[in-house]
Amino acid sequence: DPSLATRAHYFEGDEQDRLSRQLTPRTMEWRRDRIARSKKALAELRKFDRTRMTDVQRVSADLLDWQLDMVVQEEPYLDYTYPLEQMNGANVGLVENLTVSYPLTTERDAENYLVVLKEAATRLNEATADAKRLAAKKVVPPRFILQATIKQMQGFVDLSPAQNPFVTSYAEKLAAIKAIPDAKRETLRAEAEKMVAAQIYPAWKRGVDLLASQAGGSTDDAGIWHLKGGNAAYGYFLRRFTTTNLTAEQIHQIGLDHVKSL
């Protein structure tokens, strides 16, 4: 997961530099490979003798076991999330990754940024292709999500390339790197602007066009229940996001009880 490695800046030297020049793909192939790696890791983890661990090690092992198991359990539910949507889609994650999370403190970081910015177009194209694949299986976002996402993505490309967040945030961070000469700083910024115009915007527009083509046949049904196997998928996501084994009805009742107590 190069994007995670870049955000965490966990490694050093050439290894970190290599990872910082990549953006993690979220393709089905990558997700299935992640599950396979998690199964292997889980099997290795469970070979450790918990009785020989300290309390801290045991808690860490339990947490890692749970995290890996959640990845493995997702295997039947890989088609129950929307690749393009206004909250957690690739259209949001890629922007957040590069404008907020990407570390930019040296000239080499600035050069690496341009490499991953180019990859952002590829990653968005992959998400668009996945959204098209899901649509063929009748997995389409509800109308209000399509409308909100189209508006958001269209607003992103309506900006002049020079005013796009991919460029403006980059320019701000460049300004803070005093070791970069002014001429080099402007060359880097201009390259980012050119890349946004030539690669980023066409990728985003393809995404908008696909979502617009789906809007006519969408419905207002927002619940995952309207998809085949949706109830089971909802149960999985509840376990993943609440870390409990409570049912949907039990969690709903907790909400009602809290409202009543207030």
Side-chain angles (χ1 to χ4, degrees):
D1 192 335
S3 295
L4 175 59
T6 301
R7 289 196 303 274
H9 219 77
Y10 182 80
F11 301 99
E12 296 177 350
D14 291 343
E15 185 171 22
Q16 183 66 60
D17 187 63
R18 176 179 60 81
L19 292 164
S20 295
R21 295 170 72 84
Q22 302 175 56
L23 273 179
T24 303
R26 302 293 173 186
T27 60
M28 187 60 71
E29 292 76 15
W30 181 85
R31 295 167 76 190
R32 292 195 183 284
D33 180 63
R34 179 172 179 251
I35 290 170
R37 287 183 281 112
S38 296
K39 287 179 179 178
K40 181 179 178 181
L42 198 57
E44 291 294 317
L45 176 65
R46 289 175 176 172
K47 292 178 182 178
F48 286 92
D49 183 355
R50 299 293 180 95
T51 64
R52 299 178 62 185
M53 295 181 181
T54 66
D55 288 343
V56 171
Q57 289 172 336
R58 198 172 298 112
V59 169
S60 293
D62 287 346
L63 176 58
L64 182 56
D65 190 294
W66 183 88
Q67 291 174 321
L68 291 168
D69 191 45
M70 280 293 104
V71 174
V72 172
Q73 285 187 40
E74 188 182 10
E75 191 164 16
Y77 310 115
L78 294 176
D79 285 346
Y80 288 87
T81 53
Y82 304 123
L84 299 174
E85 48 105 339
Q86 85 282 17
M87 296 288 288
N88 300 300
N91 48 297
V92 175
L94 289 168
V95 178
E96 182 178 287
N97 194 319
L98 290 181
T99 64
V100 178
S101 306
Y102 196 88
L104 230 164
T105 57
T106 68
E107 185 170 342
R108 181 60 175 176
D109 290 341
E111 294 168 347
N112 288 346
Y113 176 91
L114 293 178
V115 176
V116 293
L117 179 59
K118 183 177 181 179
E119 273 200 23
T122 300
R123 299 291 168 252
L124 203 284
N125 285 334
E126 288 170 351
T128 301
D130 202 32
K132 187 174 182 179
R133 176 187 68 82
L134 289 172
K137 301 174 73 171
K138 301 193 183 307
V139 179
V140 175
R143 187 176 293 116
F144 76 92
I145 286 183
L146 286 171
Q147 292 171 340
T149 308
I150 290 169
K151 181 179 179 181
Q152 182 189 75
M153 294 181 71
Q154 188 61 52
F156 187 77
V157 299
D158 282 343
L159 297 167
S160 69
Q163 295 304 311
N164 184 274
F166 280 142
V167 179
T168 56
S169 67
Y170 183 50
E172 288 175 8
K173 292 175 182 178
L174 285 174
I177 306 175
K178 302 305 180 184
I180 301 179
D182 290 344
K184 175 70 178 288
R185 193 179 292 120
E186 174 53 28
T187 298
L188 292 169
R189 189 212 62 80
E191 183 63 26
E193 181 182 341
K194 188 188 306 180
M195 210 172 291
V196 165
Q199 298 181 48
I200 296 295
Y201 278 4
W204 253 252
K205 288 174 182 176
R206 281 189 286 271
V208 170
D209 289 345
L210 176 70
L211 296 181
S213 73
Q214 296 175 350
S218 64
T219 71
D220 292 319
D221 290 336
I224 201 171
W225 51 263
H226 77 279
L227 300 176
K228 184 179 180 181
N231 286 337
Y234 193 73
Y236 162 75
F237 288 116
L238 275 183
R239 293 191 300 276
R240 173 174 160 187
F241 289 109
T242 69
T243 72
T244 75
N245 289 315
L246 298 175
T247 66
E249 290 76 15
Q250 289 172 320
I251 289 179
H252 184 58
Q253 189 60 49
I254 290 173
L256 295 176
D257 291 345
H258 274 291
V259 171
K260 185 177 179 179
S261 70
L262 292 170

